[in-house]
Amino acid sequence: MHDIELMDASGRRLARARLPEGVAGMARLHALIGEQLGEDADETAEQVVIGIETDKGPWVQALIAAGYRVCAVNPLQASRYRERYGMSGAKSDGADAHMLADMVRTDSHQLRPVAGDSAEAAAIKVVSRAHKSMIWERTRHMQRLRHALRDYFPAALEAFEELTTPDALELLAKAPDPASAAKLTLTQIRTALKRARRRGDIDTKAGKIQAALRAEHLGQPAVVAQAYATTIRAATAVLATLNEQIKTLQGQVEQHFGQHPDAEIVLSQPGLGPILGARVLAEFGDDQHRYTDARARKNCEDHGVSSQAVA
């Protein structure tokens, strides 16, 4: 459900309603606005300014397609503006609708209109953000795996430099506890390294892994180690699936980005390859009217770098 309020330039409430999701709700909103604009509703739609606390989703796209000027209000901005109406900080959907209507009436010049990016740019944003989120998810699962191994199987941390590689996951799934790992043969280890397409001296690498797995380390009682081993098998299965899906999403990112007409321009920038270039295009968009000048573009760029550093 969406709570909406219509307000004129003087602050007078014209209408308020709670509308359902989907086509029915959007049709009702158009009707309410049309009742206020009269017969010239189609020609004067651009005079309607709408504030909404998101810049994506079917409703936002439908509002833009209808010709309205849509302003995405940052939730933090809305929270600060809400303090004008009371110190309690109480929040309700109806009150928020009134607050947003008043906000765009008085401060629309301070708000960022939702850019009209192309469908191609929107598709790049979807797959590039999903790809990045999946990588972050893999890192979280890898850290859980690392902490578990440190508690009962530190030899594995000595044997495998990276816990998300196919060979490390295969060997941990096959031998997830110190006792079984010590029994791994050089042939088994070499086979896993070759299957993972490891380069260099496979025999030397296999020997180092075997030696590390057979070295003396402090451990846990056998029953505890077996309990940990059960969780490690689950963790390696999840990580293997994440690896597969990350690879699939990477292909989608490269495909969508390669079809965009601005891809060549983005890739001409030093240090940008297909994946990072797709992320840059996704976050900056391709609407030529998004930024008023070069300084506005740079401010957005600086903010983006800061946000990524924090992340």
Side-chain angles (χ1 to χ4, degrees), residues 24 39 60 63 71 80-81 91 95-96 107 131 140 151 171 185 192-193 259:
E39 296 180 357
V60 172
L63 292 170
C71 294
R80 296 291 181 264
Y81 199 90
K91 188 179 187 302
D96 279 358
D107 295 294
H131 178 251
R140 282 191 286 268
D151 286 342
L171 292 172
T185 66
L193 292 172
Q259 294 173 350

XYZ file of all heavy atoms in Angstrom, residues 24 39 60 63 71 80-81 91 95-96 107 131 140 151 171 185 192-193 259:
154
model
N -3.613 -0.922 -10.499
C -4.803 -0.302 -9.915
C -4.433 0.941 -9.107
O -5.080 1.995 -9.218
C -5.542 -1.305 -9.030
N -8.664 19.298 -17.797
C -8.580 18.774 -19.156
C -7.161 18.794 -19.715
O -6.849 18.074 -20.644
C -9.499 19.575 -20.081
C -10.978 19.457 -19.724
C -11.840 20.264 -20.670
O -11.259 20.947 -21.548
O -13.082 20.202 -20.553
N 8.257 3.962 -9.448
C 9.103 5.069 -9.896
C 9.138 5.109 -11.420
O 9.001 6.185 -12.027
C 10.522 4.929 -9.319
C 11.454 5.976 -9.936
C 10.497 5.082 -7.807
N 5.866 6.442 -12.781
C 5.717 7.882 -12.572
C 6.530 8.667 -13.595
O 6.071 9.681 -14.139
C 6.157 8.248 -11.157
C 5.261 7.729 -10.020
C 5.933 7.936 -8.672
C 3.895 8.418 -10.039
N 11.263 13.167 -7.668
C 12.433 13.454 -6.842
C 12.629 12.328 -5.844
O 11.718 12.010 -5.065
C 12.267 14.775 -6.098
S 12.220 16.225 -7.175
N 15.433 14.217 8.739
C 15.757 15.565 9.232
C 14.595 16.525 8.990
O 14.268 17.363 9.833
C 17.018 16.082 8.526
C 18.262 15.276 8.826
C 18.707 15.461 10.272
N 19.916 14.711 10.538
C 19.919 13.502 11.075
N 18.773 12.895 11.373
N 21.054 12.873 11.304
N 13.953 16.410 7.840
C 12.836 17.294 7.516
C 11.654 17.013 8.436
O 10.901 17.924 8.801
C 12.419 17.092 6.060
C 11.613 18.235 5.489
C 12.247 19.307 4.858
C 10.229 18.241 5.573
C 11.515 20.353 4.323
C 9.481 19.286 5.041
C 10.131 20.346 4.417
O 9.405 21.377 3.909
N 6.664 8.403 13.555
C 6.598 8.162 12.119
C 5.321 7.399 11.778
O 4.970 6.435 12.450
C 7.821 7.359 11.677
C 7.978 7.209 10.176
C 9.233 6.421 9.867
C 9.520 6.388 8.372
N 8.416 5.814 7.595
N 1.541 10.639 7.803
C 2.320 11.825 8.130
C 3.498 11.984 7.184
O 3.864 13.100 6.798
C 2.805 11.754 9.582
N 4.092 10.860 6.796
C 5.222 10.927 5.854
C 4.769 11.426 4.491
O 5.491 12.163 3.815
C 5.870 9.552 5.716
C 6.833 9.250 6.845
O 7.028 10.125 7.705
O 7.385 8.139 6.874
N 11.121 22.711 -1.247
C 12.554 22.473 -1.444
C 12.861 21.602 -2.651
O 13.898 20.929 -2.687
C 13.158 21.814 -0.193
C 13.107 22.718 1.021
O 13.800 23.747 0.998
O 12.374 22.399 1.975
N 26.336 -8.987 -8.931
C 27.667 -9.598 -8.988
C 28.512 -9.138 -7.803
O 29.153 -9.952 -7.117
C 28.340 -9.218 -10.314
C 29.731 -9.750 -10.451
N 30.847 -8.931 -10.388
C 30.202 -11.002 -10.666
C 31.933 -9.652 -10.549
N 31.573 -10.914 -10.721
N 31.977 -13.105 3.200
C 31.426 -13.366 4.530
C 31.466 -14.859 4.856
O 31.846 -15.251 5.973
C 29.991 -12.842 4.621
C 29.918 -11.336 4.811
C 28.515 -10.903 5.155
N 27.627 -10.951 4.001
C 27.400 -9.923 3.197
N 28.022 -8.768 3.416
N 26.573 -10.019 2.178
N 39.673 -22.705 14.829
C 39.291 -23.279 16.118
C 39.635 -24.751 16.245
O 39.881 -25.235 17.357
C 37.784 -23.104 16.345
C 37.414 -21.671 16.691
O 38.315 -20.912 17.094
O 36.233 -21.313 16.558
N 39.320 -30.202 -1.615
C 40.072 -30.986 -0.634
C 39.468 -30.867 0.763
O 39.450 -31.843 1.518
C 41.533 -30.537 -0.630
C 42.312 -30.877 -1.912
C 43.686 -30.228 -1.895
C 42.431 -32.398 -2.079
N 46.598 -38.367 -0.193
C 47.805 -38.734 -0.936
C 48.201 -37.603 -1.878
O 47.397 -36.717 -2.198
C 47.568 -40.009 -1.749
O 46.583 -39.730 -2.761
C 47.073 -41.137 -0.850
N 43.311 -32.581 -7.589
C 42.507 -31.402 -7.264
C 43.132 -30.135 -7.836
O 42.429 -29.253 -8.357
C 42.352 -31.276 -5.749
N 44.451 -30.030 -7.772
C 45.135 -28.852 -8.310
C 44.988 -28.785 -9.829
O 44.763 -27.696 -10.388
C 46.615 -28.888 -7.928
C 46.941 -28.698 -6.441
C 48.426 -28.939 -6.175
C 46.554 -27.297 -5.987
N 27.341 -4.513 -24.776
C 26.328 -4.096 -25.743
C 25.941 -2.631 -25.595
O 25.207 -2.105 -26.433
C 25.081 -4.975 -25.572
C 25.317 -6.428 -25.937
C 24.129 -7.306 -25.594
O 23.185 -6.877 -24.923
N 24.151 -8.549 -26.056
